[in-house]
Amino acid sequence: MAPPDVTQGSLCTAPETASSAASPVAEEPAALFAESVAIMRRLRGPDGCSWDREQTPETIRKYTLEETYEVLDAIERKDSANLCEELGDMLLQVLFYAQMASEAGEFGIADVLSGLNRKLVRRHPHVFGAAAAEAAGNAAVLESAAEGIAPTQVLANWNAIKRMERQQKQTPGADAGVESRMAAVLRAQPALLEAQKLGSAAAKVGFDWPDATGLLAKIREEADEVEAEIAMAPGDGTGDLSASSSSASSTREMQLEVGDLLFVVSNLARHLHVNAEMALRDANAKFRSRFASMEQAEREGGAPLEQRSLDELEALWQQAKQRERLLAGLPGVGA
């Protein structure tokens, strides 16, 4: 089989052509998608790529996670050309999994698309109509499925339909009460986000801290437990478990205590209506920016950062913070 024609231009690599109404890339999504499916089939075929052929869902899942974060990074940087490219990389993951499943006789890309289309219709009765949604499998009893309903009701309907779908997937004859309330919280998501959602699920039955003040007290309690673990750890008493004197058990205990602390912090964010994952990503971006300012100072003259004292590095950090706040039009103080 001859390889598909992949010589056409791409809006991802040539964003300046995005305004062209005659772009073949913009006009033929169905044909291009079919071409992508054919390329993946060829790559996994006998005359394809040896690396692609030996992959399994388990071996490429790490790339799926990486591609997800690269999409988020492009969004946060408002880089539309890179976002276009990264969405293509994410789509590659979908094609890869579907091709492997097809080879195993489990499902194919057509099943993925059919399931998605039915789900979208099923979960949007206010758009496609109750009859179409019911034909797509929606048996949920909704307060309102009329056009023009408020976004809050749309979300409520969406969640009601999801609950109905989970019930329909249960094994016939199984006890409907066996499934944990935590079952709806996916494990395959960033841990901070999972922690917040676990807290939300528990809060629905009243198992929650009453307010942010209680959580702050719990954070102090968990921090004390980490400090106690540091004091008991082998070595110089600093808690540095990278030292050769550390044991597997002490490392594990420290990990558990730090995990407890992070869990409580994530739920403090939930009480404050802050997305913990996004908050940490913002903090990471801020750290990158400030450290880059320190490196800029290094390039402008003086000793390399590695040769400076901690006090000197702290002074550079404070200068970076001051510069950051001035550029943002804020007073020269803050975290």
Side-chain angles (χ1 to χ4, degrees), residues 207 209 213-232 252-268:
F207 187 58
W209 290 272
T213 301
L215 273 157
L216 287 169
K218 185 64 176 176
I219 287 173
R220 286 188 284 270
E221 176 187 325
E222 295 295 347
D224 288 343
E225 292 181 9
V226 171
E227 188 173 4
E229 192 61 38
I230 291 173
M232 292 187 295
R252 176 60 178 164
E253 287 301 318
M254 186 68 77
Q255 180 172 309
L256 291 173
E257 294 298 346
V258 172
D260 290 343
L261 177 59
L262 290 172
F263 185 88
V264 180
V265 169
S266 74
N267 279 279
L268 172 63

Side-chain angles (χ1 to χ4, degrees), residues 248-298:
S249 60
S250 61
T251 301
R252 176 60 178 164
E253 287 301 318
M254 186 68 77
Q255 180 172 309
L256 291 173
E257 294 298 346
V258 172
D260 290 343
L261 177 59
L262 290 172
F263 185 88
V264 180
V265 169
S266 74
N267 279 279
L268 172 63
R270 174 174 59 85
H271 270 257
L272 298 176
H273 306 290
V274 171
N275 182 301
E277 184 69 21
M278 292 298 102
L280 185 55
R281 289 182 66 83
D282 288 345
N284 291 344
K286 182 167 61 176
F287 185 92
R288 283 178 182 270
S289 175
R290 291 177 179 176
F291 198 84
S293 293
M294 294 171 64
E295 292 174 319
Q296 180 62 34
E298 175 187 37

Side-chain angles (χ1 to χ4, degrees), residues 22-54:
S23 170
V25 176
E27 291 180 354
E28 303 176 5
L32 289 169
F33 186 81
E35 182 179 70
S36 297
V37 173
I39 291 172
M40 175 51 65
R41 187 182 302 119
R42 169 72 181 276
L43 290 173
R44 290 277 297 179
D47 59 343
C49 171
S50 58
W51 186 89
D52 288 304
R53 280 199 305 270
E54 71 179 10

Side-chain angles (χ1 to χ4, degrees), residues 122-136:
R122 185 168 64 243
R123 294 189 181 180
H124 292 85
H126 58 290
V127 175
F128 299 102
E134 185 175 350

